[in-house]
């Protein structure tokens, strides 16, 4: 059994300078019990990095993630990790990616350039013409192919030994197609959280225009001012006056937002695919009254709407994905509410 500190439970954010580009990295849970949190985050990504174990290859949960990435139209880069371990066979893994995920998975490691160009040339007619004319597919065209999910660049290496990491990061900066955003304000919420002082935070990506401090933010019949804009990196944040389109921030003082919601001109969009599959009963200590605890549990439900706490005859029930999530929920209730 893994301790809660070993698992990513809620999406975390970090700022990553990469040459002349600054990336906002959103680290999502990998465990199947927290897939709903991961799915909410997918909807705000410009691109995804799917990390696959070199000793395990494509697993059932990998295919679930892949279908979600396809559903939300997210351009995807792959890094096959743990290639330093015995049993990691690059050729077999690449064949497994093509068979289990998509034929568009292409090896982008520098040593295989000629083979890469041949595969890229088969992806679209203009890529074939470019290859026949000049012997290569230009970067601008590769970015288009990646952006339209016709090509999925793959790198192989070891995170532990930092093998292949530089090549991967260089490729990421080189082949990400910069999005074009509209001028009208819009944003999408991907997470609700509470800071140590109990202040409610709405984590969102600005998908159009610019969000400024004290702006009135319209959503679902509400209009509330953004009291503070926070840019998080790890556990630290800095307050800023504005966030342009493409930026990710946490907004204080929005009281009725929820994960997946669209703000401004952004539509709320399609219903999530992943839903809890089990109902659990919450067994309370003798000195704990369900009428006191249930309103506190609503705070956790704000952060993960699919928990769905309900009360029946004095008993509290909750929707969960599995046993690990149940253990984590027990820890959160103990930490937050002392129960």
């Amino acid at each position: 059994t893994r301790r809660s500190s070993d698992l990513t439970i809620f999406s975390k954010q970090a700022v990553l300078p990469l040459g002349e580009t600054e990336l906002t990295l959103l680290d999502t849970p990998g465990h199947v019990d927290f897939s709903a949190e991961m799915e909410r985050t997918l909807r705000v990504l410009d691109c995804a990095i799917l990390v696959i174990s070199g000793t395990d290859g494509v697993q059932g949960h990998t295919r679930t993630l892949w279908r979600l990435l396809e559903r939300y139209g997210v351009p995807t880069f792959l890094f096959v990790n743990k290639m330093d371990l015995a049993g990691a066979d690059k050729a077999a893994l690449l064949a497994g990616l093509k068979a289990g995920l998509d034929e568009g998975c292409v090896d982008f490691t520098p040593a295989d350039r000629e083979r890469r160009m041949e595969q890229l040339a088969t992806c679209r007619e203009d890529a074939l013409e470019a290859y026949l004319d000049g012997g290569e597919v230009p970067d601008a065209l590769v970015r288009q192919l990646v952006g339209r999910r016709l090509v999925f660049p793959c790198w192989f290496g070891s995170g532990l030994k930092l093998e292949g990491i530089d090549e991967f990061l260089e490729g990421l900066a080189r082949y990400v197609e910069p999005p074009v955003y509209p001028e009208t304000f819009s944003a999408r919420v991907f997470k609700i959280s509470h800071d140590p002082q109990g202040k409610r935070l709405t984590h969102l990506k600005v998908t159009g225009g610019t969000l400024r401090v004290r702006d009135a933010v319209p959503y679902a019949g509400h209009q509330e001012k953004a009291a503070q804009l926070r840019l998080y990196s790890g556990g630290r944040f800095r307050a800023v006056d504005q966030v342009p389109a493409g930026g990710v921030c946490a907004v204080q003082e929005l009281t009725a937002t929820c994960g997946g919601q669209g703000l401004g001109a952004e539509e709320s969009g399609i219903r999530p695919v992943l839903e809890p599959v089990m109902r659990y009963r919450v067994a309370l200590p003798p000195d704990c009254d369900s009428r006191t605890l249930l309103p506190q549990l609503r705070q956790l439900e704000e952060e993960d709407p699919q928990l769905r706490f309900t009360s029946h005859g004095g008993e509290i029930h909750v929707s969960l994905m599995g046993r690990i999530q149940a253990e984590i929920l027990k820890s959160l209730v103990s930490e937050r509410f002392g129960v």
Side-chain angles (χ1 to χ4, degrees):
T1 302
R2 303 182 72 186
R3 293 176 293 111
S4 61
S5 58
D6 296 328
L7 287 169
T8 301
I9 304 164
F10 299 112
S11 299
K12 301 294 184 181
Q13 177 179 335
V15 176
L16 176 66
L18 188 59
E20 297 180 359
T21 305
E22 184 175 89
L23 303 182
T24 300
L25 178 66
L26 297 177
D27 180 30
T28 64
H31 194 280
V32 65
D33 278 13
F34 305 98
S35 296
E37 172 79 7
M38 175 275 303
E39 184 178 1
R40 284 190 290 273
T41 308
L42 289 188
R43 301 176 68 180
V44 303
L45 300 183
D46 292 324
C47 65
I49 300 167
L50 183 60
V51 182
I52 294 175
S53 167
T55 55
D56 297 328
V58 175
Q59 303 293 294
H61 190 47
T62 316
R63 284 187 278 271
T64 300
L65 290 173
W66 192 260
R67 287 193 294 270
L68 290 171
L69 289 164
E70 183 178 27
R71 177 182 176 88
Y72 295 116
V74 183
T76 304
F77 295 77
L78 294 90
F79 184 80
V80 183
N81 194 24
K82 302 182 182 179
M83 293 301 294
D84 56 315
L85 300 182
D89 183 319
K90 180 179 174 181
L93 284 163
L94 185 60
L97 295 176
K98 288 179 175 293
L101 300 180
D102 195 283
E103 277 293 329
C105 292
V106 177
D107 183 1
F108 268 60
T109 50
D112 207 15
R113 181 182 179 279
E114 185 58 37
R115 174 63 177 159
R116 177 170 75 251
M117 289 299 166
E118 291 176 0
Q119 289 184 287
L120 291 173
T122 65
C123 292
R124 209 166 64 179
E125 189 174 338
D126 52 353
L128 179 59
E129 291 176 358
Y131 178 70
L132 293 176
D133 289 344
E136 66 176 24
V137 180
D139 286 355
L141 187 49
V142 175
R143 285 192 289 271
Q144 288 184 27
L145 297 173
V146 173
R148 286 152 184 74
R149 289 182 51 85
L150 296 173
V151 169
F152 306 95
C154 304
W155 285 266
F156 299 78
S158 166
L160 180 65
K161 296 187 177 180
L162 298 180
E163 295 172 355
I165 304 298
D166 288 342
E167 292 86 350
F168 169 70
L169 292 176
E170 289 168 7
L172 190 65
R174 186 173 179 178
Y175 297 116
V176 169
E177 185 175 35
V180 178
Y181 297 104
E183 295 183 4
T184 303
F185 169 72
S186 59
R188 183 172 299 283
V189 179
F190 64 92
K191 184 174 72 165
I192 304 297
S193 73
H194 295 80
D195 70 10
Q197 288 72 45
K199 293 177 181 176
R200 189 181 193 273
L201 300 173
T202 298
H203 298 258
L204 56 81
K205 176 185 176 182
V206 181
T207 56
T210 299
L211 178 60
R212 298 176 178 84
V213 171
R214 309 306 299 174
D215 273 358
V217 180
Y219 66 97
H222 296 78
Q223 186 159 298
E224 298 176 315
K225 289 186 177 180
Q228 186 183 56
L229 306 180
R230 300 181 179 184
L231 295 188
Y232 274 91
S233 189
R236 299 176 181 270
F237 73 87
R238 59 185 175 92
V240 295
D241 293 330
Q242 62 181 30
V243 178
V248 175
C249 67
V251 184
Q252 190 182 324
E253 294 296 328
L254 303 183
T255 63
T257 46
C258 61
Q261 189 173 41
L263 311 183
E266 186 75 53
E267 296 181 357
S268 288
I270 54 182
R271 184 179 177 84
V273 172
L274 300 174
E275 297 280 352
V277 294
M278 287 178 276
R279 292 288 291 172
Y280 279 70
R281 181 175 65 86
V282 182
L284 303 180
D287 60 346
C288 181
D289 188 339
S290 64
R291 292 171 297 181
T292 302
L293 183 62
L294 187 58
Q296 295 176 312
L297 295 176
R298 296 294 182 206
Q299 184 184 104
L300 298 177
E301 193 176 59
E302 277 192 321
E303 298 174 9
D304 185 353
Q306 292 179 310
L307 287 174
R308 299 196 188 107
F309 289 100
T310 56
S311 180
H312 303 282
E315 287 188 347
I316 297 176
H317 292 221
V318 61
S319 299
L320 296 174
M321 295 290 284
R323 184 179 60 83
I324 298 297
Q325 189 183 16
E327 292 298 319
I328 297 301
L329 183 58
K330 284 172 60 177
S331 298
L332 285 173
V333 171
S334 176
E335 292 167 11
R336 294 259 188 111
F337 314 122
V339 176

